[in-house]
Amino acid sequence: MRLYSTALGIAREESPGELSVLDLPFADLGALLHGPGIDPARAAAAVRRVALGEVRVHAPVPRPGKILIVGLNYPSHAEEALEMFAAMGRPDITLPAEPNFQLVAGSAVTAPGDDIRLPAVAADQVDYEGEVAVVIGRSASAVSTAEAPSHIAGLTIANDVSARDIQQRAMSGDPTASIGVAKSFDTFKPLGPCLVTPDEFTAAIDLRLRTLVNGDVRQDDRTSSFIHGVADLISYLSRYQTLEPGDVILTGTPRGAGVFSGRHLRPGDVVEVEVEHIGTLRNRVRAAPEGASSGT
């Protein structure tokens, strides 16, 4: 089942490009998940039918309670990160055996088609990271890997936009910076366009992911190469905090982020993250507002 949060309410895709706006008393999928859960969307009656291109689509979960960002989860990305550290004179840095994660503000989420705004305080080294995102459907606290899949509401697409200058300051030990802040600016977490429920996927979740900037393919990999699978991630993260309905886990990005080539995002760039069987998340980059403070 493919579900959308739209300006008209929650909608179910009945056929490619055709939506049924559902008779549900919830503004978006996040509210539905906090209420009865995803199941009522299967049987809900349609109050209106509309073409997908004729309705404004919001992020599936516009304001998650938590966003958890998993790093270095594709071997291809881990390899390029180690190459960069070695070039910086740090060949001693090795990959962690357990998942590496950060907490990010839910207010960073923005909708498909909305602009990614370059922040005035960190506009020069903003980067993209195409990712598959997992949306939690039922509370999970210290769950096993076997139990974890039953806590998934569905999958969607995310762009883990990051201010690399702030991130690198944090990684260098600067106490005034943090990786979470580098990833939490407003509009830095485009999410969508839809939520696809787990019955649409095999347990292995083998999906091709590509990220394009202005039509140029920058990232291309498959989720089957994950170092830590989705069920393992949910189990691991649930040991540290209860995962609640509507929480979002970003599962990592493959090789090809701009930080490794110096190709950072600039005003007017269009970033597209394509994930097999989910769709395309497309956002344009916009400059910081004129007159905004550049900080110190």
Side-chain angles (χ1 to χ4, degrees):
M1 180 171 59
R2 303 171 65 87
L3 298 171
Y4 292 77
S5 292
T6 79
L8 299 176
I10 296 171
R12 185 177 61 225
E13 191 168 21
E14 306 293 3
S15 60
E18 182 183 351
L19 301 183
S20 290
V21 180
L22 302 179
D23 185 15
L24 292 170
F26 302 96
D28 54 59
L29 291 168
L32 179 67
L33 292 172
H34 277 285
I38 209 76
D39 286 343
R42 295 187 181 279
V47 296
R48 179 176 177 181
R49 294 188 184 274
V50 62
L52 177 57
E54 296 177 357
V55 63
R56 177 171 171 76
V57 173
H58 300 310
V61 183
R63 282 296 176 268
K66 294 188 291 296
I67 305 174
L68 298 104
I69 308 295
V70 177
L72 303 175
N73 199 31
Y74 284 84
S76 62
H77 180 49
E79 289 166 4
E80 68 179 348
L82 292 178
E83 291 166 3
M84 183 182 72
F85 288 132
M88 295 167 58
R90 294 296 309 276
D92 56 306
I93 295 179
T94 58
L95 295 179
E98 296 182 326
N100 174 1
F101 73 95
Q102 304 287 333
L103 282 166
V104 170
S107 57
V109 168
T110 196
D114 283 0
D115 290 341
I116 298 166
R117 299 196 307 269
L118 301 178
V121 296
D124 295 332
Q125 296 182 37
V126 175
D127 200 359
Y128 56 86
E129 292 187 15
E131 309 205 11
V132 172
V134 178
V135 178
I136 297 297
R138 295 194 302 122
S139 293
S141 178
V143 300
S144 68
T145 298
E147 296 169 324
S150 68
H151 294 266
I152 299 173
L155 302 183
T156 188
I157 306 172
N159 185 355
D160 181 18
V161 181
S162 307
R164 296 299 191 191
D165 46 359
I166 294 178
Q167 183 175 355
Q168 289 170 356
R169 280 169 45 202
M171 294 171 67
S172 299
D174 183 344
T176 67
S178 76
I179 295 174
V181 167
K183 294 174 175 288
S184 288
F185 285 100
D186 291 352
T187 75
F188 267 30
K189 291 295 164 285
L191 199 66
C194 60
L195 182 76
V196 184
T197 53
D199 54 290
E200 299 282 335
F201 305 100
T202 65
I205 309 184
D206 178 19
L207 303 171
R208 186 183 185 188
L209 179 150
R210 299 199 314 163
T211 304
L212 299 86
V213 180
N214 302 326
D216 176 39
V217 177
R218 301 284 181 85
Q219 297 180 293
D220 190 348
D221 211 328
R222 300 196 71 89
T223 59
S224 54
S225 71
F226 280 167
I227 295 171
H228 305 287
V230 168
D232 291 327
L233 291 175
I234 292 171
S235 175
Y236 181 83
L237 295 170
S238 74
R239 302 177 207 166
Y240 290 86
Q241 61 272 298
T242 298
L243 302 177
E244 299 176 327
D247 285 352
V248 177
I249 300 170
L250 273 59
T251 55
T253 200
R255 175 184 285 270
V259 66
F260 300 101
S261 62
R263 295 183 293 182
H264 296 105
L265 296 176
R266 297 290 179 254
D269 284 349
V270 175
V271 186
E272 297 171 289
V273 185
E274 302 174 346
V275 177
E276 188 176 23
H277 197 65
I278 299 178
T280 299
L281 174 65
R282 181 181 294 105
N283 299 87
R284 185 177 296 274
V285 179
R286 179 161 63 88
E290 290 186 16
S293 171
S294 61
T296 56

